Amino acid sequence: IQLDVDDKVLIERVVGRRTDPVTGRIYHMVYDAPTDKDVISRLVQRSDDTEEKAKVRLDAYYQHASALLNRYKALVTKINGMQDKGSVFKQVEAVIRKALDAKAQKSDSIGRPTQGSTKTLKMIIMGAPGCGKGTQCAKLVDQYNCVHLSTGDMLRAAVKAQSELGKQAKAFMDAGKLVPDELVISLIKERMGQQDVQERGWLLDGFPRTKAQADALEKNGIVPDVVVVIEVPDEILVERIVGRRSDPVTGKIYHMKFDPPTDEQVIARLVQRSDDSEEKVRPRLEAYKQYAEVLEQKYSKVLSRVNGDQPPNDVFIAIGRAVRYKTQPESAPMSVNEFVRKAEQAFETGYLSVEDTNWSGQAGLERTVAGGNSNYGDIVNRPVLATGDLLMFVVFVAIGRKFHGESEALPEVMTTAAPFMLGWFASTPLLGAYTSSATSSWSSMFATLLRCSAIGLPVGLATRGLMTSHVPDASMAAVTLVVCSVLLAGWRSTYLAINGTTPENTGNRKGGILDGFKMVTTLLRRW
C-alpha cells in the first residue's frame, strides 16, 4: 500500500508538529492546536521537524520508494493520503480484506480447510457508566462480526420468546426482584450454544459482576480470550453522564456540552434520565469499582486496560491492538518502524505512558507513591529511599573512622552512626523528606534535601553530643554537615536517575534508567 500525499502537505504536517513535554501529547499548530496558553508556551519541536530536514528525509524516501514500487508493482495499491483519517483507513482495510480473501481462496484450491481456521473472538468488555462501552461494542461487532451478548437484552428476548428460562426470569422481573445468577448463567450458556455464536464468537457486556458469577461462567466452559477494561477518570465520567439528554420524540441522545442540538424546539423538549444526576452517578461509579477490582484480579492473565479518555476511534484502535496482542501474539509481531517510532517518541518526550508499557507486554509502571502528609508514616511509603539515607550515615562514619585510624568493625560504625540516624529520622519526615513531592523533580529533590539537611544534620550532631558528651568543634561540625549533605545528595540523585521523577498532577512519570531499561526490553520482547 502506497499512501500518496503531496510534498507541500507532508512538509506542513511535519513542520507543524509540537510536543507537550509535561503530558507527552503531540499537537499540530494548524490542525490540532492547543487552546491552553500554558500548554502553548511550553510546546517543543523535534529537532528533525524543520522544513530543511523534512525535505532531506523526503528525498531519501523517494530514492528508495521508486525501487520498491517497481519491485512490488504487481501488488501495489495507491491510496490518497490527503483524505480524513477515517476514509484512508477504510480504503486500507478494504485492500487488506481483498488480499486475505484471495489468500483464503487459494488455500481452498489446494485442499487446505479454511472454515474455522480463523479463531472466533471470545471477549468480555468492562467499564464504568459513561465510559463509551456501547459505542465500542457496536464498533467491535462491526469489525469482528461477533455476537454482542448483553444480559439485559437476552433476558428481554427470552421473556418475549416465552422460553422456559424466559418464563422463570419473568416471574422474578414482575415481582421486582433480581434474576438469580443461576438463571442468568443458564441463559448465557443456552445463547452461546446457538449456531451464530458458535460460528462468529461472542462479546459479553454487563456480565459477570462478581467473582462468583465469573467462577460459574468458567465452570460452564465460558472463558474469555481477552477482557478489556475501558478506563476514564471519575470527573470525566460524571461530566459525560450529567450532560446527557434525550429527545422523547426521536429517541436521539444529545450532550449539552459535547453534542448539543441546534433546533430550539428540540432543546425545549429534551429530558434527562432520573439517574443521570451527579448525586446518583457517583454511587454507581463506586459500585462499579468494587466489583471491577475483583474481576480484574480474576481475569488478570487476559486483561487489557484501555484509556477511554480519548476520541472513540482512538479507543477502538487501542482495543483492537489489545485483542490482537492477547489472542494472536505470535502472528502480530512489531515492525521495525513501530519499534523505532516508540523508542524515538519516548526519547524525545522523556515520558513513558502506562498505555505503552502495558501494550508492549510490561506489567506497568511501579505503583503510584502516596502523596504523604509530612509525618513519620511517610517512611512506610518510601522504604528504599529511607534505607538509602540510613546507609549514607553508615558510609560517612566508616570514612571518618578510617581517616582517624579507628576500628571499622560494623558494631562500632553503627554505634557511632546511630545518633545521626536518630536525629535525621526524628526531624526530616516532618519536613517532607519522604513525600511524593520530594522526588517529583530534580529541583524539588534538591530543595527538599537542603531543607532537611539544614535541620536534620544539626539535630543529629546535637543528639550525638547528648549521647556521648562529645561536642565537636566548629570545623569538624562543618565537615560533618558538608560530607553528609554530599553523600545524601549523591544517593538521592542516584535514586532519581534510576527510578525517574513523578511530576505532580500528571498521569506520566519522567523516565529514569529503570524505565528506559523496561522500555527497551519490553519493546524488544514484543518485536
Side-chain angles (χ1 to χ4, degrees):
I1 294 175
Q2 179 191 13
L3 297 179
D4 188 33
V5 180
D6 184 80
D7 283 3
K8 291 182 180 179
V9 176
L10 288 171
I11 291 172
E12 184 183 28
R13 288 180 180 179
V14 172
V15 173
R17 288 190 301 208
R18 298 292 187 278
T19 303
D20 182 348
V22 174
T23 65
R25 179 174 172 180
I26 296 176
Y27 294 91
H28 194 282
M29 301 313 291
V30 176
Y31 308 123
D32 182 27
T35 54
D36 190 316
K37 292 183 179 178
D38 290 338
V39 174
I40 295 173
S41 65
R42 66 177 182 242
L43 292 181
V44 295
Q45 184 180 29
R46 275 179 48 168
S47 58
D48 58 346
D49 275 357
T50 62
E51 184 172 349
E52 295 76 18
K53 292 185 178 180
K55 288 180 177 179
V56 172
R57 289 157 63 189
L58 276 177
D59 289 342
Y61 163 75
Y62 286 128
Q63 288 177 15
H64 298 293
S66 59
L68 289 172
L69 292 172
N70 184 59
R71 170 68 177 80
Y72 296 116
K73 59 184 177 182
L75 302 172
V76 171
T77 299
K78 184 182 289 189
I79 293 176
N80 179 10
M82 295 172 64
Q83 309 170 80
D84 65 273
K85 289 187 286 187
S87 299
V88 173
F89 178 73
K90 284 184 179 179
Q91 292 179 46
V92 170
E93 185 181 34
V95 173
I96 294 172
R97 286 187 182 277
K98 183 178 179 182
L100 291 176
D101 289 343
K103 186 176 181 181
Q105 290 173 6
K106 184 177 180 180
S107 297
D108 281 341
S109 67
I110 59 174
R112 294 177 184 172
T114 58
Q115 185 174 359
S117 61
T118 300
K119 190 175 181 180
T120 55
L121 183 66
K122 298 177 182 178
M123 176 177 173
I124 292 175
I125 188 166
M126 295 170 52
C131 71
K133 192 152 52 80
T135 300
Q136 297 307 320
C137 284
K139 288 177 174 288
L140 287 165
V141 169
D142 182 59
Q143 175 72 22
Y144 295 101
N145 193 34
C146 56
V147 179
H148 180 205
L149 300 179
S150 166
T151 50
D153 291 343
M154 282 190 288
L155 283 168
R156 286 186 287 272
V159 170
K160 185 177 180 180
Q162 296 186 345
S163 67
E164 184 58 36
L165 290 175
K167 291 176 182 178
Q168 295 178 40
K170 187 176 186 299
F172 287 98
M173 294 163 72
D174 289 345
K177 297 179 181 179
L178 291 174
V179 179
D181 287 352
E182 297 81 5
L183 190 54
V184 175
I185 290 166
S186 296
L187 191 65
I188 293 173
K189 186 178 179 181
E190 180 184 70
R191 182 69 180 90
M192 287 192 173
Q194 295 175 5
Q195 186 176 356
D196 60 339
V197 180
Q198 291 287 315
E199 292 178 353
R200 294 162 51 194
W202 48 268
L203 170 63
L204 192 54
D205 169 20
F207 196 90
R209 294 197 175 193
T210 66
K211 185 176 184 297
Q213 292 173 348
D215 290 339
L217 287 178
E218 186 175 350
K219 186 177 179 181
N220 283 274
I222 302 170
V223 181
D225 293 323
V226 58
V227 176
V228 170
V229 181
I230 302 176
E231 297 185 328
V232 180
D234 284 1
E235 295 307 315
I236 303 295
L237 291 171
V238 171
E239 183 181 33
R240 288 181 181 180
I241 296 173
V242 173
R244 289 192 302 207
R245 299 292 187 276
S246 62
D247 183 347
V249 174
T250 64
K252 183 175 180 180
I253 305 294
Y254 294 92
H255 194 283
M256 301 312 293
K257 180 178 179 180
F258 307 124
D259 183 28
T262 54
D263 190 314
E264 292 295 333
Q265 291 183 342
V266 173
I267 294 173
R269 66 178 183 244
L270 291 181
V271 294
Q272 183 182 31
R273 276 178 50 176
S274 58
D275 58 348
D276 275 357
S277 63
E278 184 168 351
E279 295 74 21
K280 293 186 178 180
V281 168
R282 291 196 180 275
R284 288 162 61 193
L285 294 180
E286 291 304 316
Y288 165 75
K289 289 178 185 176
Q290 289 179 8
Y291 80 74
E293 183 177 359
V294 175
L295 292 177
E296 287 171 12
Q297 293 175 359
K298 168 71 177 176
Y299 293 120
S300 60
K301 291 184 178 180
V302 293
L303 189 78
S304 287
R305 303 177 189 277
V306 170
N307 175 20
D309 187 19
Q310 52 183 332
N313 283 339
D314 292 342
V315 176
F316 179 64
I317 290 170
I319 293 175
R321 193 167 61 187
V323 170
R324 287 194 301 274
Y325 180 66
K326 291 294 184 183
T327 59
Q328 298 176 329
E330 73 286 347
S331 62
M334 179 185 288
S335 68
V336 176
N337 287 340
E338 184 71 352
F339 174 91
V340 172
R341 189 183 73 79
K342 288 285 183 184
E344 283 185 344
Q345 186 178 41
F347 176 78
E348 291 286 345
T349 63
Y351 283 91
L352 291 170
S353 69
V354 174
E355 290 80 2
D356 282 345
T357 51
N358 279 341
W359 173 68
S360 61
Q362 184 63 38
L365 302 177
E366 67 176 353
R367 66 181 179 86
T368 303
V369 175
N373 299 303
S374 295
N375 58 37
Y376 297 113
D378 295 343
I379 296 176
V380 177
N381 295 324
R382 314 303 292 274
V384 176
L385 188 61
T387 302
D389 289 344
L390 183 149
L391 290 175
M392 290 306 102
F393 291 111
V394 174
V395 171
F396 164 71
V397 171
I399 293 172
R401 294 184 71 86
K402 183 180 177 85
F403 182 81
H404 291 290
E406 298 175 353
S407 170
E408 299 172 50
L410 186 60
E412 285 83 354
V413 171
M414 293 301 294
T415 300
T416 307
F420 295 101
M421 298 176 189
L422 185 61
W424 179 265
F425 287 114
S427 57
T428 57
L430 304 178
L431 301 171
Y434 303 102
T435 59
S436 60
S437 62
T439 55
S440 63
S441 65
W442 287 91
S443 59
S444 180
M445 183 273 287
F446 282 115
T448 302
L449 182 60
L450 183 63
R451 179 173 65 248
C452 292
S453 297
I455 304 296
L457 295 180
V459 171
L461 281 170
T463 304
R464 174 165 169 71
L466 291 172
M467 292 176 66
T468 64
S469 299
H470 172 71
V471 179
D473 56 34
S475 60
M476 183 56 65
V479 169
T480 300
L481 293 174
V482 170
V483 175
C484 283
S485 296
V486 170
L487 288 172
L488 288 166
W491 154 240
R492 290 198 166 218
S493 297
T494 302
Y495 181 90
L496 257 66
I498 293 173
N499 286 283
T501 56
T502 311
E504 295 178 290
N505 302 319
T506 72
N508 293 307
R509 293 175 62 255
K510 185 78 173 179
I513 294 172
L514 186 60
D515 288 307
F517 177 77
K518 285 181 179 179
M519 181 194 75
V520 172
T521 55
T522 52
L523 283 173
L524 282 169
R525 186 164 62 251
R526 274 292 281 125
W527 178 44

